[in-house]
């Protein structure tokens, strides 16, 4: 991937500004800094390599050169996004899932922010924001996708088995084209973020639906139950052994199927 290729795939899209880096610390760090300096809505950062890629819960995110998609998109929140902040994670997850589906793959979203192929993680999403006092200024939608095999971290460095699009598809795809597909879907879904149709589409891609799962939260006992679906605010709904709904909020959570 280089600037010329990116330009070919992205120039017809209504993005405000695009910054491409051969190598960078973290596209999310750069996006947060750019957002604080006034980056307009729909500014995009892409890097071929990240040296300090970040995942959730202070984890590092592996982005070796020439093999992954590492991007961060800056949104200046609309009223819909202010009303449904957690849905923005779903916006990116669903947009990637639909792009993978178009390639003939069968993606699933491991709530809240992983995308799986054949039960292995192919992408992770990190949504962050900037604030002025209590006012939400910008949302940064960051995503890393393992496109080529070389971007899959070694097995001893991951907490959930990982895979790549190359492995699952048996061929290499153009990263810039995948990015274009994802951005097109983000732009399409964005005005519909508050609708039931968005929630249903997101819910329709959930991994482990109808199965027993365990959700660990930062503190307290893990919750075990059957994965039922999503609440209006994007929280996860389980059914416990007494058929009672248990709601798990967005946050520092780990979801796993119960073996
Ligand atoms: C996770 O699975 O924990 C989330 C991983 C998010 C990684 C992406 S790569 C692009 C963007 N820049 C970062 O530093 N992190 C996100």
């Amino acid at each position: 991937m280089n600037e010329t290729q990116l330009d070919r795939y992205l120039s017809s899209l209504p993005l405000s500004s695009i910054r491409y880096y051969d190598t960078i610390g973290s596209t999310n760090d750069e996006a947060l800094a750019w957002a604080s300096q006034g980056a307009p809505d729909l500014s995009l950062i892409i890097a071929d390599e990240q040296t300090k890629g970040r995942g959730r819960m202070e984890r590092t995110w592996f982005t070796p050169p020439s093999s992954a998609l590492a991007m961060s998109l800056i949104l200046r929140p609309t009223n819909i996004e202010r009303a449904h902040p957690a849905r923005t994670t779903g916006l990116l997850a669903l947009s990637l899932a639909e792009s993978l589906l178009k390639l003939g793959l069968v993606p699933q979203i491991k709530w809240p922010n992983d995308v799986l192929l054949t039960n292995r993680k192919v992408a992770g999403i990190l949504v962050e924001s900037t604030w002025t006092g209590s006012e939400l200024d910008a949302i940064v939608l960051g995503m890393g996708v393992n496109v080529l095999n070389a971007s899959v971290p070694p097995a001893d460095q991951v907490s959930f088995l990982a895979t790549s699009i190359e492995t699952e598809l048996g061929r290499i795809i153009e990263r810039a084209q995948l990015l274009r597909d994802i951005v097109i879907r983000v732009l399409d879904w964005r005005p519909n973020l508050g609708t039931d149709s968005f929630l249903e589409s997101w819910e329709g891609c959930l991994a482990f639906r109808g199965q027993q799962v365990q959700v660990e939260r930062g503190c307290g006992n893990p919750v075990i139950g059957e994965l039922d679906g999503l609440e209006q605010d994007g929280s996860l709904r389980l059914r416990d052994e007494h058929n009672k709904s248990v709601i798990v909020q967005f946050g520092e959570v780990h979801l796993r199927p119960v073996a």
Side-chain angles (χ1 to χ4, degrees):
M1 187 163 55
N2 56 42
E3 241 168 323
T4 319
Q5 262 177 337
L6 271 177
D7 196 48
R8 182 151 57 88
Y9 282 106
L10 301 181
S11 59
S12 63
L13 303 184
L15 293 166
S16 304
S17 187
I18 301 172
R19 288 185 179 174
Y20 169 76
Y21 297 85
D22 286 330
T23 183
I24 199 173
S26 150
T27 57
N28 262 38
D29 285 346
E30 183 68 20
L32 290 167
W34 192 12
S36 328
Q37 291 153 14
D41 185 45
L42 294 175
S43 296
L44 180 68
I45 299 191
I46 307 125
D48 187 60
E49 174 188 25
Q50 291 185 120
T51 54
K52 289 188 180 144
R54 295 188 289 108
R56 287 166 72 230
M57 302 180 216
E58 317 281 303
R59 296 208 195 96
T60 54
W61 183 261
F62 187 62
T63 316
S66 311
S67 57
L69 182 60
M71 51 91 48
S72 301
L73 181 66
I74 300 171
L75 303 181
R76 294 291 173 189
T78 60
N79 286 340
I80 302 174
E81 287 146 11
R82 284 179 201 282
H84 301 281
R87 289 194 184 200
T88 56
T89 302
L91 173 66
L92 199 50
L94 179 60
S95 298
L96 172 63
E98 289 183 341
S99 304
L100 295 174
L101 202 60
K102 190 183 134 195
L103 289 171
L105 296 165
V106 185
Q108 292 191 301
I109 298 171
K110 183 164 88 73
W111 185 91
N113 66 340
D114 294 340
V115 177
L116 310 181
L117 290 172
T118 60
N119 279 333
R120 296 178 182 89
K121 178 162 169 171
V122 73
I125 293 168
L126 182 65
V127 175
E128 298 182 294
S129 36
T130 63
W131 297 79
T132 304
S134 58
E135 184 73 7
L136 179 61
D137 267 344
I139 301 173
V140 169
L141 302 182
M143 180 160 69
V145 187
N146 303 334
V147 180
L148 275 74
N149 288 340
S151 62
V152 177
D156 61 349
Q157 287 179 30
V158 293
S159 57
F160 198 90
L161 274 181
T163 189
S164 69
I165 296 176
E166 181 185 2
T167 304
E168 302 299 328
L169 201 58
R171 68 182 167 89
I172 290 172
I173 60 154
E174 183 61 69
R175 286 176 291 160
Q177 183 162 17
L178 175 66
L179 176 61
R180 175 185 161 83
D181 278 359
I182 296 165
V183 172
I184 287 175
R185 286 175 166 78
V186 167
L187 296 172
D188 274 0
W189 273 119
R190 189 180 182 198
N192 301 307
L193 200 66
T195 64
D196 287 347
S197 145
F198 171 78
L199 199 69
E200 282 157 21
S201 300
W202 181 14
E203 202 173 49
C205 288
L206 286 184
F208 317 126
R209 213 159 165 216
Q211 294 179 36
Q212 286 292 115
V213 295
Q214 169 169 320
V215 184
E216 279 169 36
R217 297 177 276 195
C219 54
N221 292 330
V223 187
I224 296 183
E226 183 184 306
L227 198 155
D228 190 23
L230 295 172
E231 292 288 286
Q232 281 292 321
D233 67 354
S235 301
L236 190 69
R237 191 177 57 253
L238 308 184
R239 294 223 162 261
D240 72 8
E241 59 200 308
H242 310 294
N243 206 29
K244 253 185 59 195
S245 285
V246 182
I247 310 300
V248 184
Q249 314 277 351
F250 258 70
E252 310 251 308
V253 294
H254 274 292
L255 183 147
R256 282 177 191 285
V258 176

